[in-house]
Amino acid sequence: MSSITLENIRKSYGGNGPAAISNLSMEIGASEFLCLLGPSGCGKTTTLRMIAGLEHPTDGRILVDGKAIVSVADGIFTVPEKRNMGLVFQNYALWPHMTIRENVSFGLTLRKTPAAERDAIVNQVMTKLGIERYADRYPAQLSGGQQQRVALARMLALSPSVILLDEPLSNLDAKLRLEMRAELKRIHAEAGSTIVFVTHDQWEAMTLATTIAVMSEGALQQVGTPDDIYERP
Ligand code: ADP
Ligand code: ADP
């Protein structure tokens, strides 16, 4: 339920190589389900991390609901969970010293959700993702696919208004992947969350997106509905 504006973004990680993002401007409407689509290395993850405030653009700025976002580089970074942003990144970024239950509960604890309500939500999302039996384990004791489910559960527990996903279903088996796609579509339809979903899978983008942004070598190539992009003669 938030609009996101990227204005003339350039991002260089330094060094001699080309910039990761050369000149990117884009308006992501509130309640859009945007898929960022493109081959490995084209800048999708960098774009998502800048929207999350985890990387600072070298030039340009990013606005959420018209307000410039505060990023790590500003020194007063607040965790995305507090800004009502939900993230599932490729490395899962689970807190290694917390159990699975603590990981999934953490955002709600930060928000001071009453314990009974928090526990009910946490149990519900853990059941949905089939991870309730791992509740007392630590992330390092789980497989990649199990950790991905924990990361999804942690995000779902917060009902965030902005959801940022980087290949979030890549390690799931086919059945769970289909279920999670349906779940994301349901959240989008019911909660109206703004979703930015990074994928290199054209078919996945077509089945999920309201808008597809095709990226290539650090720039936007095309933006449109799935029909605009794939059924134009
Ligand atoms: P992707 O599948 O999106 O290309 P990678 O597996 O390449 O992701 O990258 C995983 C992580 O490594 C990301 O956090 C990314 O920022 C970081 N990374 C990617 N390329 C480099 C690089 N050349 N130098 C340092 N870190 C990198
Ligand atoms: P994608 O997500 O589309 O695979 P990335 O955003 O991960 O693309 O990477 C875009 C470019 O930036 C690549 O050339 C990658 O090597 C480089 N890159 C990504 N993260 C880093 C990093 N932390 N340090 C240096 N270079 C990076």
Side-chain angles (χ1 to χ4, degrees):
M1 288 159 278
S2 292
S3 64
I4 303 167
T5 309
L6 291 88
E7 287 180 355
N8 307 315
I9 301 296
R10 190 173 72 86
K11 173 65 181 175
S12 165
Y13 286 104
N16 297 323
I21 302 292
S22 46
N23 184 3
L24 183 65
S25 294
M26 178 166 47
E27 182 71 44
I28 305 172
S31 301
E32 244 178 83
F33 195 138
L34 181 95
C35 281
L36 276 180
L37 177 69
S40 180
C42 72
K44 306 181 297 296
T45 298
T46 299
T47 302
L48 205 64
R49 288 177 58 83
M50 288 191 292
I51 295 172
L54 300 173
E55 293 282 354
H56 196 66
T58 308
D59 292 309
R61 55 178 198 158
I62 299 176
L63 311 172
V64 175
D65 291 331
K67 278 180 59 184
I69 61 157
V70 174
S71 81
V72 268
D74 298 311
I76 43 167
F77 185 66
T78 51
V79 292
E81 287 80 359
K82 280 206 172 168
R83 292 180 281 133
N84 212 12
M85 276 191 173
L87 318 179
V88 179
F89 282 1
Q90 272 181 314
N91 56 9
Y92 317 127
L94 301 175
W95 288 288
H97 58 289
M98 292 185 197
T99 65
I100 299 313
R101 175 179 292 283
E102 288 164 347
N103 265 279
V104 177
S105 305
F106 182 67
L108 292 169
T109 304
L110 273 184
R111 277 193 200 165
K112 302 188 165 50
T113 303
E117 186 187 338
R118 180 196 65 202
D119 293 347
I121 294 170
V122 167
N123 287 336
Q124 190 197 353
V125 295
M126 288 205 302
T127 303
K128 182 172 276 164
L129 275 299
I131 54 173
E132 65 279 26
R133 62 187 174 285
Y134 314 127
D136 298 321
R137 293 203 205 163
Y138 288 87
Q141 297 172 297
L142 302 190
S143 72
Q146 290 163 348
Q147 290 186 42
Q148 193 160 48
R149 282 143 66 188
V150 176
L152 285 162
R154 184 177 60 173
M155 181 279 289
L156 292 180
L158 287 172
S159 310
S161 58
V162 175
I163 299 179
L164 305 176
L165 304 165
D166 193 352
E167 307 256 6
L169 313 181
S170 57
N171 277 320
L172 304 182
D173 63 44
K175 178 166 173 286
L176 192 59
R177 193 178 308 138
L178 278 180
E179 283 173 17
M180 283 310 302
R181 283 195 188 127
E183 179 68 17
L184 290 173
K185 285 184 116 161
R186 195 186 60 74
I187 291 168
H188 178 250
E190 288 177 9
S193 308
T194 311
I195 302 183
V196 184
F197 186 108
V198 162
T199 181
H200 63 265
D201 181 338
Q202 185 173 312
W203 189 81
E204 183 164 62
M206 283 176 67
T207 54
L208 285 174
T210 56
T211 305
I212 297 178
V214 184
M215 290 185 71
S216 169
E217 296 180 1
L220 267 188
Q221 223 177 26
Q222 225 184 339
V223 181
T225 65
D227 286 354
D228 287 341
I229 288 181
Y230 290 106
E231 286 172 26
R232 200 174 275 167

